[in-house]
Amino acid sequence: MEIAIGFQTSLKPSISLRNPNFIKSSYTNSSILLANQILGLGLSSSVNTSRNLKLNNRSRFSNRSSINCAVSAATEPATVETTQLVRRGDVRNIAIVAHVDHGKTTLVDGMLRQSKVFRDNQTVQERIMDSNDLERERGITILSKNTSIFFKDTKINIIDTPGHSDFGGEVERVLNMVEGVLLVVDSVEGPMPQTRFVLKKALEFGLSVVVVVNKIDRSSARPEFVVNSTFELFIELNANDEQCDFQTIYASGINGKAGLSPENLADNLGPLFEAIIRCIPGPRINKDGALQMLVTNIEYDEHKGRIGIGRLHAGKLQRGMDVKICTSEAECKFARVSELFVYENFSRVPVETVEAGDICAVCGVGDVQIGETIADKAVGKPLPAIKMEEPTVKMAFSINISPFVGREGKYVTSRNLRDRLYRELERNLAMKVEDGETADTFIVSGRGTLHITILIENMRREGYEFMVGPPKVINKRVDDKVYEPYEIATVEVPEEYMGSVVELLGKRRGQMIDMQGLGSEGTSIVKYKIPTRGLLGLRNAMLTASRGTAILNTIFDSYGPWAGEINTREHGSLVAFEGGTTTSYALCSSQERGQLFVRPGMEVYKGQIVGIYQRPSDLSLNVCKRKAATNVRSNKEVSVVLDTALDYSLDDCIEYIQEDELVEVTPSSVRMCKNPKIAFKKK
């Protein structure tokens, strides 16, 4: 075994340690320092004093950019099991993780283009990996996806993961398939809430981490601050010495450039590819062992049926091979592999055989589920199941009971609703579905409101028609005391609106834990620990308070004592007390009571919410009233001027409704109404 330690100098000297006794002892810092002294290399500090002190306290180098990564199996304790495992050098499995909008998917675009995945004259859209219509509309990654590229005869399997905390379940699953992660951090914002979450998961899995400081071309970039903040985050998450000694790459994903220093970027992403080969170890496999493959993702094809995706941990998988599908030692079923695919460039390629360490897709395994193991038919054993964090928010789904039921939807019965919700559980492990109090009600639990809202949006596009109740937090009872989930809310807001935002968060039981300026852009970042209940309906209120300039990011922190009552809405609703078609005459007088959701000529029904009332109570009114036709000649025609109606999206409606209100979801419309089973508060 050979361990190579290289230094970024003009001569690029290296030391090769071949002594097996040294390897058997450990790959220690003192040995590296001793070798450094023998070579006479002076490592000059390139980061601030505080970071050097922390590195020295942990016996690490004080120079970040002058270290070449060297992966050594000697850092792992020698056991009976590991003696049978070997490193596969021609494959690298990596996941790209980041906070939302830190440029992760754009960086993947650059890696694919420079790897010649596409022809030079081929027209390729931006954010190639965001292939889902909903992803492209919202500008976020929702589902993790696989691709691969080749660099210097090494295959790099890349998994693009979501950046929003509500889809953390996707990240948790795919980390089972990789040996390392590219942690992408914005050069101005630095580590954000989701950065902490994904890094924590990566460190728990013992993965190697390469930090990519992206958007380095921004005018207010502060790379030294970002690297130091990232290092401090490693320390807070109890990373070991090897993990703290991470390689830093500075990049501009949109320009396709990268380098080892922010001032000297190469004309391509070559330094990033080299860092992946150098710093991310190859998969550790049992080449001659019994077949074992953990299914971590599911796709569906109209012709091939269900496709199980995962990394082959041991053995060899062949097309036409008889296998065993194991959930546990006692629960197993048998199947035959009809087709076998690996990922090459941007597509699946059929193959006859897949060796351990590679990521592949398997067809013909029937109703295989995420977390199950495809194992050898005779002696195969299941791998440990995938563990997920518990959901924090729940919502009630029920059949549509409005007078407009069946007009716009294709699937309207409780059986259709039940089948679709339970089918979602096959792929979305972070979600839970339970039967409600009645036969036509189901309780859906997820990581956050966005997590459940994406499901609702997908269902309405598939032709489902149903109703959903307001989001509620999932509390726990410990020693007869109620504990509720708390989240860390990070708000980026211009300084002129800081007072309004702080006041708003304070009303919702938030506690400030940090506040700092953000470069030279005149904005500040405030961090609050706030009950999840206080976040319901907060986004719209914050946009109103900051004139649309505030950026809110949240992530689950922990369960804490009940914070007390929180008033999330100060206004009541305007409710139609009879059905019909809205008229300009009626809306003209109604708009004096508040802001309306409806326009002239729209059909409404009794109990539908048509606007926001100015007072905390609800008000019933008639928005379908017509002007009397008597004595028309003596009445001069008066022009009617109507205010622009509020156009609430599905997310806005979910945030708006309270305990006695529902959202009616159909393929064509999203309406709000009063729950007929609950008497609403009148004026």
Side-chain angles (χ1 to χ4, degrees), residues 402-404 467 576 578-579 603-608 664 671 673:
S402 80
F404 292 171
M467 283 187 162
E578 73 174 24
E603 280 195 86
V604 298
Y605 54 81
K606 182 180 179 180
Q608 181 176 335
E664 178 189 357
R671 308 181 188 93
C673 65

Side-chain angles (χ1 to χ4, degrees), residues 6-32:
F7 299 89
Q8 300 288 339
T9 64
S10 59
L11 298 177
K12 293 187 178 179
S14 62
I15 179 169
S16 178
L17 305 175
R18 299 181 179 270
N19 186 352
N21 295 328
F22 171 84
I23 297 176
K24 193 172 182 180
S25 61
S26 67
Y27 180 38
T28 60
N29 305 316
S30 58
S31 301
I32 298 176

Side-chain angles (χ1 to χ4, degrees), residues 443-480:
I443 306 300
V444 179
S445 305
R447 289 286 183 86
T449 54
L450 182 60
H451 188 199
I452 304 177
T453 302
I454 293 297
L455 169 63
I456 297 172
E457 183 64 37
N458 283 325
M459 290 176 63
R460 67 177 291 229
R461 295 187 181 201
E462 295 168 12
Y464 287 85
E465 185 176 305
F466 55 98
M467 283 187 162
V468 294
K472 302 177 182 177
V473 299
I474 300 175
N475 299 322
K476 291 183 177 180
R477 185 170 290 275
V478 181
D479 298 331
D480 293 330

Side-chain angles (χ1 to χ4, degrees), residues 236-311:
E236 291 176 17
L237 297 178
N238 297 319
N240 59 39
D241 288 349
E242 285 72 25
Q243 290 171 328
C244 285
D245 191 17
F246 55 83
Q247 175 70 59
T248 303
I249 299 293
Y250 303 90
S252 172
I254 195 169
N255 295 321
K257 297 181 178 181
L260 294 175
S261 66
E263 299 84 12
N264 186 20
L265 298 183
D267 293 332
N268 52 40
L269 295 174
L272 176 61
F273 290 129
E274 292 173 358
I276 293 173
I277 302 299
R278 186 176 66 246
C279 301
I280 306 297
R284 182 173 287 278
I285 60 173
N286 186 355
K287 187 175 182 180
D288 300 321
L291 171 66
Q292 280 185 315
M293 171 184 163
L294 184 66
V295 178
T296 54
N297 207 348
I298 292 290
E299 289 184 4
Y300 184 82
D301 186 272
E302 293 182 359
H303 305 288
K304 298 179 176 61
R306 188 187 295 268
I307 302 174
I309 302 172
R311 195 192 79 183

